[in-house]
Amino acid sequence: MLLCVGNFFGATSEAEWAEYRTGAKKAPIPTYVLGANDQEAISYFPDVSGCELAENITYLGRRGLYSGTSGLQIAYLSGIESQDEPAPAYSFSAKDVAELKTSLLSTPNFKGVDILLTSPWPRDVGTFANSAGEIDTKKCGSLLVSDLAASLKPRYHFAALEKTYYERLPYRNHTVLQETPQHVSRFIALAAVGNTNKKKYLYAFSITPMSLMDPVELVKQPQDVTENPYRKSWKEAQKTKKPLCAEEEPACQFFFDLNKRQGKKRPSDGKEAGNSQPKQAKKPSQPTGPCWFCLASPDVEKHLVVSIGMHCYLALAKGGLLPDHVLILPIGHYQSVVDLSSEVVEEVTKYKAALKDFFRSKGKRYVLFERNYRSQHLQLQVIPVPLDHCSPEDIKESFIAQAQEQQIELVEIPEHSDITQVAQPGTPYFYVELDTGEKLFHRIRGRFPLHFGRAVLASPALLALPEQADWRRCAAGRAAEEEAAQARAFRRDFQPFDFALRD
């Protein structure tokens, strides 16, 4: 079958269309189209509820659900967004979206639809995702379509009207650690047919209906999955018990609230115990250019990713000091630890605990350091050292001794203190933490050696790998990295300690 979104008729001449209407020409396969997006096209659609326009060409209607004989379910919404009630014939309104949602969500055991067809893009679809090029997804598109997509959870959502091709990274339809895993959604925008820039206007694929799939296969999460771009807008709509309208301010980010704090971690909301008002979650900044570490970025080295949580992920280091040298990184774009929201801090703490247990099972302890200087995305470098060779005192003494040689003031801060108590957002610093909780801190006021932390660990007093102090000497080509990443036992051995898999 052929599904068409956007302006089906385009610049079609009456004479050309008459050939299809009269049967002189015939569409070679069953073709299903959406309705008019402007006043001029209304005349092509005689029945607002849907009808056959010509042999093998069917207008689906203003809104509804098409169910194929195989069980494939296709939800559709024709036209562009309107604030008027009743909406013009080439538009849809908040009432249309509410009625479509109600009819589908009231279905017993509703899990989502296979395909959603709309002409406008959903607003904010680019949040957490790869770039949409010149299209500003915070300004273009429809908030009502975003609300519909958030509710119907389509496995594939197709749209047009912006006249460009954009295939978004797949996104989750559940809250990790809180909800039962669900299938992912993929948004694909198509360019105009025959466009001079030769942008993709046709997307060919095969799909097994959700109702026929093995539940385990259905909910498998691809490695490049991102957070749901509409979650905040959708939750706000649920609170107000009404669909979003175009006049509402689009949301830029959403932060999940894990609620339960783990262990004896100091409350990070800055409030007294008797005050139940939560701290406003910090929003991640946007990168000024391509970022190698934002998980949704096309530049990230995904073959090195080991584990993906809700807010953070774990990756093998590029040009690692050791084969099990790993990084803890936030999925969203954050500059440093002091910029993190409480939810991200909580998950960083979980990864630290998991790595401590993992390395201890291997007869090692880890040393973690962060350099918030000449870097745009937070990287927590985690490097294991042998328990029987490097005591906490040996490690601290090595860092302090080499710092003194380079006139770096490295001081120990209280074990149970928070890094945010000694550094404000925007402050350059270098920070070392042992898996015992002991910490060393340096506030950077001028120049700072970029490889300082790695060089200390590579020194003869600790790992005795001085030739690997500079990561660039250890970096390999992508093919070699992928082969090495597959060969390493880290992924397999870490799985029993990976809280992201258990939860």
Side-chain angles (χ1 to χ4, degrees):
M1 67 196 308
L2 174 65
L3 305 173
C4 299
V5 292
N7 297 313
F8 176 69
F9 289 96
T12 302
S13 67
E14 286 292 339
E16 183 184 4
W17 176 234
E19 292 184 277
Y20 286 92
R21 274 205 326 266
T22 60
K25 285 185 177 180
K26 176 185 174 182
I29 58 174
T31 301
Y32 298 87
V33 309
L34 295 180
N37 294 307
D38 54 53
Q39 184 67 41
E40 290 72 24
I42 291 177
S43 60
Y44 289 108
F45 303 94
D47 187 346
V48 70
S49 62
C51 58
E52 185 177 80
L53 301 179
E55 187 175 359
N56 258 0
I57 301 178
T58 302
Y59 163 46
L60 288 167
R62 188 181 187 113
R63 65 178 185 275
L65 180 72
Y66 171 87
S67 296
T69 55
S70 66
L72 188 73
Q73 292 199 315
I74 305 172
Y76 56 89
L77 181 67
S78 291
I80 59 174
E81 182 175 317
S82 171
Q83 294 303 303
D84 299 328
E85 284 287 0
Y90 57 87
S91 303
F92 59 84
S93 65
K95 182 179 178 182
D96 289 311
V97 172
E99 290 180 356
L100 179 55
K101 285 170 52 179
T102 299
S103 66
L104 295 180
L105 298 180
S106 60
T107 305
N109 301 316
F110 177 79
K111 295 180 180 178
V113 296
D114 292 300
I115 298 172
L116 172 62
L117 305 178
T118 64
S119 286
W121 287 28
R123 182 78 62 84
D124 289 328
V125 67
T127 303
F128 304 123
N130 48 314
S131 171
E134 297 178 355
I135 305 299
D136 186 348
T137 59
K138 291 185 174 66
K139 295 180 180 178
C140 83
S142 163
L143 277 171
L144 288 174
V145 172
S146 300
D147 180 33
L148 184 65
S151 299
L152 300 191
K153 303 171 186 173
R155 292 166 63 201
Y156 287 86
H157 179 184
F158 294 95
L161 293 190
E162 298 301 331
K163 299 181 179 180
T164 190
Y165 173 72
Y166 173 52
E167 184 169 357
R168 189 202 187 280
L169 291 171
Y171 62 84
R172 296 185 181 102
N173 282 302
H174 65 279
T175 305
V176 180
L177 308 181
Q178 295 185 44
E179 299 173 340
T180 302
Q182 299 183 46
H183 61 272
V184 301
S185 291
R186 290 171 167 85
F187 172 76
I188 297 152
L190 298 172
V193 175
N195 65 89
T196 56
N197 294 324
K198 297 183 178 180
K199 294 181 178 179
K200 191 171 181 178
Y201 61 83
L202 183 68
Y203 186 92
F205 71 113
S206 60
I207 181 172
T208 300
M210 187 187 305
S211 59
L212 302 181
M213 288 190 67
D214 180 278
V216 175
E217 288 296 315
L218 178 64
V219 302
K220 277 188 175 179
Q221 306 291 296
Q223 192 176 73
D224 56 353
V225 68
T226 76
E227 296 302 335
N228 192 307
Y230 319 123
R231 184 70 65 140
K232 183 176 181 180
S233 299
W234 183 78
K235 286 207 168 188
E236 288 174 350
Q238 301 310 301
K239 288 180 182 178
T240 58
K241 300 296 183 182
K242 63 181 181 66
L244 294 167
C245 65
E247 295 174 346
E248 292 181 27
E249 182 67 20
C252 297
Q253 286 285 13
F254 176 75
F255 300 90
F256 300 94
D257 182 7
L258 296 181
N259 295 321
K260 296 181 180 179
R261 301 190 178 278
Q262 303 295 320
K264 299 179 179 179
K265 188 171 79 72
R266 173 185 169 275
S268 59
D269 57 13
K271 302 288 185 180
E272 294 299 325
N275 192 334
S276 61
Q277 293 297 319
K279 182 180 180 180
Q280 183 67 32
K282 299 177 183 178
K283 295 183 179 181
S285 60
Q286 296 301 311
T288 55
C291 180
W292 289 0
F293 302 104
C294 287
L295 189 57
S297 168
D299 298 308
V300 75
E301 303 281 8
K302 293 186 173 65
H303 60 285
L304 298 175
V305 174
V306 173
S307 166
I308 302 176
M310 184 175 172
H311 302 286
C312 305
Y313 70 100
L314 197 66
L316 295 166
K318 186 178 179 69
L321 187 57
L322 296 167
D324 46 2
H325 175 175
V326 294
L327 309 179
I328 302 174
L329 304 119
I331 290 173
H333 190 80
Y334 291 90
Q335 173 76 28
S336 68
V337 164
V338 299
D339 293 317
L340 296 180
S341 65
S342 58
E343 296 91 338
V344 185
V345 169
E346 189 164 7
E347 193 160 283
V348 167
T349 303
K350 287 185 176 183
Y351 268 122
K352 288 179 184 177
L355 287 170
K356 178 179 179 178
D357 292 341
F358 168 71
F359 285 128
R360 288 298 175 99
S361 73
K362 302 288 186 181
K364 303 174 183 179
R365 71 172 81 251
Y366 76 65
V367 181
L368 177 151
F369 66 85
E370 177 199 4
R371 171 177 52 81
N372 182 30
Y373 172 74
R374 293 179 63 181
S375 61
Q376 64 165 331
H377 190 111
L378 167 62
Q379 305 160 53
L380 294 178
Q381 308 273 344
V382 185
I383 300 173
V385 296
L387 279 169
D388 58 358
H389 177 62
C390 303
S391 70
E393 288 305 314
D394 293 332
I395 297 168
K396 287 192 295 182
E397 286 176 9
S398 293
F399 271 97
I400 292 171
Q402 292 200 41
Q404 290 175 344
E405 288 179 9
Q406 300 185 52
Q407 297 183 325
I408 295 171
E409 184 183 8
L410 195 62
V411 297
E412 187 166 0
I413 60 177
E415 180 179 336
H416 298 290
S417 65
D418 193 310
I419 186 69
T420 58
Q421 293 175 314
V422 294
Q424 295 298 316
T427 301
Y429 62 84
F430 176 79
Y431 167 70
V432 183
E433 180 177 336
L434 308 187
D435 65 0
T436 56
E438 296 163 276
K439 305 176 183 72
L440 300 172
F441 176 83
H442 168 65
R443 188 186 306 277
I444 300 173
R445 293 185 170 87
R447 297 181 64 83
F448 184 81
L450 299 183
H451 301 294
F452 177 73
R454 185 177 173 123
V456 173
L457 288 164
S459 67
L462 296 178
L463 294 174
L465 299 168
E467 70 282 0
Q468 299 191 55
D470 187 333
W471 75 271
R472 289 170 294 189
R473 296 178 183 174
C474 305
R478 185 180 179 90
E481 277 183 348
E482 289 180 328
E483 182 178 352
Q486 291 298 323
R488 290 180 207 176
F490 188 98
R491 284 188 176 89
R492 182 195 65 233
D493 293 348
F494 182 67
Q495 284 186 2
F497 303 86
D498 190 351
F499 69 91
L501 291 179
R502 292 196 305 271
D503 295 335

